[in-house]
Amino acid sequence: MTAFRDILAVTSDVKPIIVLSEGADPRVAEAAVAASVSNLATIICVGEASAVQSALTAAGTKGNIRIEDPKTSLRLAGYVDSYVQKRAAKGMTQEKAHAELSQANFFSAAMVAAGDADGTIGGAVYPTPDIIRAALKVIGTAPDTKLLSSFFFMLFENRPDLPSEVNVFADCGLVIDPTAQELADIAISSAESLRALTGIDPKIAMLSFSTHGSAKHASVTKVADATALVRDLRPDLAVDGELQFDAAMVPSVGAAKAPNSPVAGQANVFIFPNLDAGNIGYKIAQRFGGGKAIGPILQGLAKPANDLSRGCTAGDIVDMISVTVAQSAAQNT
């Protein structure tokens, strides 16, 4: 398979700064060294300084990796002032801000919000809710964002039976039971992410257990309504639904179940009806289907911040650094 960083189409003349909020974790330290040595990004590792340095030394420190300890950083006071100002209407005080920003995930998000870094990644140790909370409170959402959501890149090697080696699955990590409007927002955001980060034209399948009315249920109606909303909001996008998964990805099944569909049998963006289906689906594709899962990748933030699985490897973290680099470059083009 092509190296993931080479699949991502966005480049920049300026090497971005990516801050890793769990620098003392051995996997994070190993990824930091690999990303620095390969010139992927300028890396900052956040955490208690001696613990981070120990992890980096064990990983074979090379390159120029900076360490930021929130509790001793000279940046903290300025971040606290900005955070209090931003959230004053919500009752934020200096004491509360200092306590939150002394945590590595909040401090890392503050570095991005202040422009001292271009993106942040965490989740090897922190649970997903902690990463999301810090990103939302400190970085905030993009001005035109209706819904914060997530997606996975699913990559498949040596599978000529599939319409695409590179696919997007959404939402598999964040929105539990989206409404029709929220499903439409997830579909549009995911299609834009695929195009912006890879240059691949999106073909969106709105997934269900029904194809074009083959079954009747409120959950089927929700997906059909979401499909109609996507068509109304973005007539430039290729989308169809509701579609069963096989109709979406297998040309012969698509032709039989959804003839004349612009998407059936050739989808590369798969929108699941709820988090149960999405989370289970990507893990089945990964574990049984041999797909490489990269994510969850957050979409809708003002600046890039991404989550990791707590079961991630150093290689997974390097892949997420690549995504965050590409997101930063895309936002600045």
Side-chain angles (χ1 to χ4, degrees):
M1 180 180 290
T2 304
F4 180 63
R5 64 186 294 183
D6 296 328
I7 290 172
L8 298 170
V10 185
T11 59
S12 173
D13 294 333
V14 179
K15 186 164 67 171
I17 300 170
I18 304 300
V19 55
L20 307 178
S21 63
E22 299 152 327
D25 184 276
R27 298 163 296 172
V28 174
E30 183 181 343
V33 171
S36 180
V37 169
S38 65
N39 209 35
L40 177 58
T42 297
I43 301 296
I44 299 173
C45 286
V46 172
E48 197 277 319
S50 61
V52 175
Q53 185 58 65
S54 177
L56 289 172
T57 300
T61 306
K62 297 175 183 177
N64 183 22
I65 300 172
R66 290 165 47 197
I67 299 173
E68 284 280 354
D69 186 337
K71 295 182 179 178
T72 60
S73 175
L74 297 177
R75 301 176 187 270
L76 182 60
Y79 293 164
V80 167
D81 288 343
S82 296
Y83 192 42
V84 170
Q85 183 177 11
K86 179 179 180 179
R87 298 187 65 83
K90 296 184 180 295
M92 183 58 64
T93 65
Q94 288 277 328
E95 183 179 359
K96 290 179 181 178
H98 190 278
E100 288 193 355
L101 295 178
S102 294
Q103 301 172 50
N105 57 329
F106 275 83
F107 184 88
S108 298
M111 292 195 74
V112 175
D116 293 328
D118 298 296
T120 180
I121 301 169
V125 179
Y126 284 107
T128 291
D130 289 348
I131 299 299
I132 301 299
R133 188 178 303 112
L136 281 174
K137 292 180 72 173
V138 182
I139 297 173
T141 56
D144 57 348
T145 296
K146 297 179 181 178
L147 178 74
L148 183 67
S149 61
S150 71
F151 69 94
F152 278 79
F153 275 120
M154 297 298 299
L155 311 180
F156 296 89
E157 186 177 16
N158 299 322
R159 289 292 304 274
D161 57 313
L162 298 182
S164 176
E165 177 187 52
V166 181
N167 300 274
V168 162
F169 282 21
D171 185 343
C172 306
L174 195 57
V175 185
I176 295 174
D177 189 18
T179 64
Q181 181 63 65
E182 288 171 337
L183 268 183
D185 292 339
I186 292 167
I188 292 169
S189 294
S190 300
E192 290 177 340
S193 291
L194 177 65
R195 179 175 283 150
L197 297 180
T198 69
I200 297 172
D201 286 334
K203 296 182 179 180
I204 310 166
M206 308 295 287
L207 298 176
S208 175
F209 63 87
S210 168
T211 295
H212 287 186
S214 64
K216 304 296 183 184
H217 190 272
S219 62
V220 175
T221 301
K222 179 180 79 169
V223 175
D225 290 346
T227 305
L229 285 168
V230 174
R231 287 178 176 143
D232 288 342
L233 293 167
R234 291 292 301 274
D236 58 306
L237 292 174
V239 61
D240 199 11
E242 78 285 4
L243 293 173
Q244 291 164 289
F245 191 86
D246 56 352
M249 67 159 283
V250 180
S252 60
V253 177
K257 290 186 175 183
N260 303 316
S261 169
V263 166
Q266 51 187 322
N268 54 21
V269 177
F270 298 88
I271 306 301
F272 292 83
N274 55 45
L275 191 58
D276 281 332
N279 193 268
I280 293 167
Y282 101 79
K283 288 179 178 176
I284 290 174
Q286 179 186 32
R287 302 300 181 180
F288 278 160
K292 180 180 178 67
I294 299 172
I297 301 162
L298 302 182
Q299 50 191 6
L301 291 168
K303 295 182 179 180
N306 283 310
D307 188 24
L308 296 165
S309 165
R310 278 178 284 175
C312 65
T313 65
D316 295 332
I317 299 169
V318 172
D319 286 337
M320 287 296 284
I321 293 172
S322 297
V323 170
T324 310
V325 165
Q327 286 178 314
S328 174
Q331 285 189 351
N332 292 317
T333 54

